Amino acid sequence: MNDLVRQHTALSDSDLEWLHLLVSEWQLLSDLSFADLVLWVPTLDGTRYVSVAQMRPNTGPTSYQDDMVGHLVPRGRRPLLDAALDEGRIVREGDPEWREEVPVRVESIPVRREGRVLGVIARNTNLLTVRTPSRLELTYLQSASDLAQMIAAGTFPFPGEQVDMDSSPRAGDGLVRLDAEGIVQYASPNALSAYHRLGLATDLVGQHLGQITAELAPSRGPVDEALVTLASGYAPREFEVEGNGGVIQLRAIPLKPKGTRIGSLVLLRDVTELRRRERELITKDATIREIHHRVKNNLQTVAALLRLQARRMDSDRGREALDEAVRRVGSIAIVHETLSQNLDERVEFDEIADRVIAMVAEISPGKVTCRRNGRFGILDAEVATPLSMVLTEVLQNALEHAFAQGEQGTVEVSAVRGEARADARLLITVKDDGRGLPEGFDPQRAGNLGLQIVRTLVEGELGGTFDMLPGTERGTKVVLDIPVQPQK
């Protein structure tokens, strides 16, 4: 719609915003009218109309099998559009049109904003299935007529009220028509069922909706006056009411077809099961986070016990082995700590990588600098946990074997994230400027425990590749190539 309006018309950005607000609301008008809606806007030179939006009803058959958006028609071909635009009134005159052997009644509703007519809504009703209307259908049509008059007067949609039509109640979910005093004139079967879910034992018709809603909602004090006002439809609002184990979502629409409020339309939906599932999900999320938190605490306890044991060791090799185990356990604990703070099983791995680098750097004599370049991005937990251990082992190996005691040097961790949808990869390079690899060293056959862990995790769990090469000038370069999910 933005492109069509800016290309063909002289409407301002504020006018376009008003049309967007109208289009966000007009599913209601379409459903209440049992009719298709097409929004026509005059072109810049005033000689044609361009259709910028279209809506089909959920409550009846469509009048248009084809998409009308983008069509241009010359002025004069559709007299009802001309009359509505020029005279600023709803035009219903004329005989039904025949489209592919289907009779269609066409009406035109001017779209007014701040005294100016911006365009015209063509309301097209398929008459092929017309029959004697029921009370519900009569209420729908009367409400549609009131809304159409409000659109023509520029009082609907309501400025500043942005409605999410995906979550907001619709006409078919439940509809209540109120008079100016808030008394129920008509309640659809779905609306009555929703109130029965709240604990209503009688009919709604003849009741004051605000008062009966406040009585059904649990309250320890006096009747909630704000709830009475909301449910009476005095102002355009959306809210929820909970009682008797049920939850209903309500949306109030004041009806002012001639400038004076004559009543209200209240749309409502029974969202009891939806809210129950949401609470279950929240409970499950909290449980999962608590499990990660406890696993992190247990791993930290294990690490503390290993440290205590290391201090009591007389053998230097035994102490070093326990210190390595402490770092391995610590890298896993970092991942679980991060997961305990998230709502899903995905983590921002850059933070984890920085903490692993800082943790492993503690073993360096103090003259080796560790730094990170590039971004790992967001990774799934099943990738983050083994990758944190791999990074720990590679860094630990570099700091222990690349530099002599007191020697200065640098270890750099680089990450490049490829975002190909079919084959997203994470390329990790760990480079040092130390002494380099020993003569005849084969990283694929070396028996060092740390390298065995790296090979097993990278090739087995992560499905990637691992290689250890001499640096370009000096030192060693470790390259990890791991498949990952594309970032969203």
Side-chain angles (χ1 to χ4, degrees):
M1 185 166 71
N2 288 350
D3 293 339
L4 289 170
V5 168
R6 289 169 178 155
Q7 179 182 354
H8 295 285
T9 78
L11 297 181
S12 65
D13 288 343
S14 57
D15 292 334
L16 178 58
E17 192 63 33
W18 182 262
L19 295 184
H20 274 293
L21 188 59
L22 172 66
V23 168
S24 73
E25 293 272 23
W26 71 344
Q27 179 71 65
L28 175 61
L29 177 62
S30 178
D31 290 345
L32 293 175
S33 303
F34 309 98
D36 291 74
L37 305 178
V38 179
L39 177 57
W40 297 93
V41 180
T43 57
L44 183 61
D45 57 9
T47 61
R48 296 181 296 175
Y49 298 95
V50 58
S51 58
V52 298
Q54 180 178 358
M55 178 58 66
R56 292 182 173 89
N58 294 316
T59 53
T62 183
S63 302
Y64 287 110
Q65 299 299 327
D66 299 325
D67 191 356
M68 295 296 296
V69 175
H71 282 213
L72 289 163
V73 297
R75 185 178 170 87
R77 179 173 296 179
R78 302 195 176 183
L80 297 186
L81 294 182
D82 298 339
L85 182 69
D86 297 339
E87 301 173 23
R89 64 180 180 88
I90 298 175
V91 182
R92 296 189 176 93
E93 298 89 353
D95 297 326
E97 296 181 3
W98 287 84
R99 299 175 188 164
E100 298 180 358
E101 300 183 354
V102 175
V104 177
R105 182 175 64 243
V106 181
E107 305 168 74
S108 295
I109 306 167
V111 177
R112 192 183 304 272
R113 175 179 179 265
E114 296 180 350
R116 296 180 299 111
V117 177
L118 307 182
V120 179
I121 294 176
R123 181 163 56 175
N124 304 268
T125 307
N126 187 324
L127 300 178
L128 196 61
T129 58
V130 169
R131 53 185 173 78
T132 303
S134 64
R135 178 74 188 281
L136 181 143
E137 291 168 331
L138 288 172
T139 303
Y140 273 29
L141 293 172
Q142 180 58 55
S143 301
S145 176
D146 294 335
L147 288 177
Q149 292 183 58
M150 292 170 65
I151 291 173
T155 56
F156 186 84
F158 303 108
E161 189 197 20
Q162 191 68 37
V163 177
D164 183 0
M165 292 307 299
D166 291 333
S167 60
S168 184
R170 298 194 177 190
D173 296 324
L175 178 142
V176 177
R177 175 79 186 224
L178 308 179
D179 65 10
E181 304 300 322
I183 305 300
V184 177
Q185 301 298 300
Y186 175 78
S188 71
N190 285 346
L192 189 58
S193 296
Y195 266 83
H196 285 165
R197 188 75 174 261
L198 288 182
L200 180 68
T202 61
D203 195 2
L204 271 176
V205 176
Q207 306 249 31
H208 189 283
L209 188 66
Q211 293 178 357
I212 199 69
T213 303
E215 291 171 3
L216 292 171
S219 176
R220 296 182 180 177
V223 173
D224 189 340
E225 293 298 332
L227 182 57
V228 172
T229 303
L230 287 174
S232 298
Y234 289 105
R237 293 288 186 274
E238 191 168 313
F239 57 99
E240 287 188 5
V241 175
E242 183 171 356
N244 194 41
V247 185
I248 61 172
Q249 181 184 14
L250 299 97
R251 183 190 174 201
I253 303 173
L255 298 175
K256 304 176 181 178
K258 297 182 180 180
T260 303
R261 180 174 169 275
I262 63 169
S264 302
L265 200 61
V266 178
L267 307 178
L268 56 94
R269 174 190 295 162
D270 185 346
V271 293
T272 304
E273 294 304 316
L274 178 62
R275 296 295 176 260
R276 181 184 62 80
R277 288 195 296 268
E278 287 177 351
R279 291 183 185 120
E280 288 179 353
L281 288 174
I282 292 172
T283 301
K284 288 178 180 177
D285 287 340
T287 302
I288 292 171
R289 289 199 298 272
E290 179 62 21
I291 289 172
H292 283 302
H293 182 71
R294 294 188 182 188
V295 169
K296 182 263 296 184
N297 288 345
N298 290 338
L299 289 172
Q300 289 180 337
T301 301
V302 171
L305 292 173
L306 291 174
R307 287 194 194 95
L308 289 174
Q309 187 65 44
R311 291 172 189 160
R312 295 175 178 271
M313 293 288 293
D314 296 329
S315 168
D316 290 340
R317 292 188 61 186
R319 189 180 304 109
E320 290 174 1
L322 288 176
D323 286 340
E324 288 181 2
V326 167
R327 285 187 286 274
R328 288 166 185 152
V329 172
S331 67
I332 302 174
I334 290 172
V335 176
H336 283 283
E337 181 180 3
T338 305
L339 288 169
S340 70
Q341 300 168 359
N342 291 346
L343 293 177
D344 55 17
E345 291 291 290
R346 309 192 77 198
V347 295
E348 178 64 61
F349 196 80
D350 295 310
E351 178 186 350
I352 293 174
D354 291 340
R355 294 179 63 180
V356 167
I357 292 171
M359 177 183 68
V360 178
E362 294 176 358
I363 69 171
S364 70
K367 296 187 178 181
V368 177
T369 302
C370 296
R371 61 172 179 260
R372 172 177 64 86
N373 291 322
R375 293 191 68 249
F376 290 83
I378 298 174
L379 299 176
D380 293 334
E382 57 264 28
V383 174
T385 301
L387 183 57
S388 68
M389 288 192 65
V390 168
L391 193 58
T392 300
E393 296 299 332
V394 173
L395 288 170
Q396 190 168 279
N397 188 72
L399 291 172
E400 285 184 351
H401 302 294
F403 305 98
Q405 185 72 23
E407 185 180 0
Q408 292 185 347
T410 302
V411 177
E412 181 177 312
V413 180
S414 301
V416 177
R417 185 80 175 259
E419 291 304 326
R421 286 186 177 272
D423 186 26
R425 315 286 298 183
L426 176 60
L427 185 65
I428 304 167
T429 306
V430 180
K431 296 188 297 184
D432 67 67
D433 54 4
R435 67 186 69 173
L437 296 173
E439 187 71 26
F441 179 81
D442 184 358
Q444 302 301 328
R445 297 179 180 274
N448 178 285
L449 176 61
L451 289 180
Q452 289 181 8
I453 291 174
V454 170
R455 284 197 300 269
T456 301
L457 292 177
V458 172
E459 297 173 0
E461 288 198 33
L462 296 174
T465 60
F466 156 73
D467 202 2
M468 201 174 210
L469 309 166
T472 305
E473 297 180 358
R474 56 175 300 185
T476 305
K477 178 171 67 173
V478 176
V479 179
L480 307 171
D481 188 357
I482 299 169
V484 293
Q485 291 293 325
Q487 295 192 88
K488 296 180 181 180

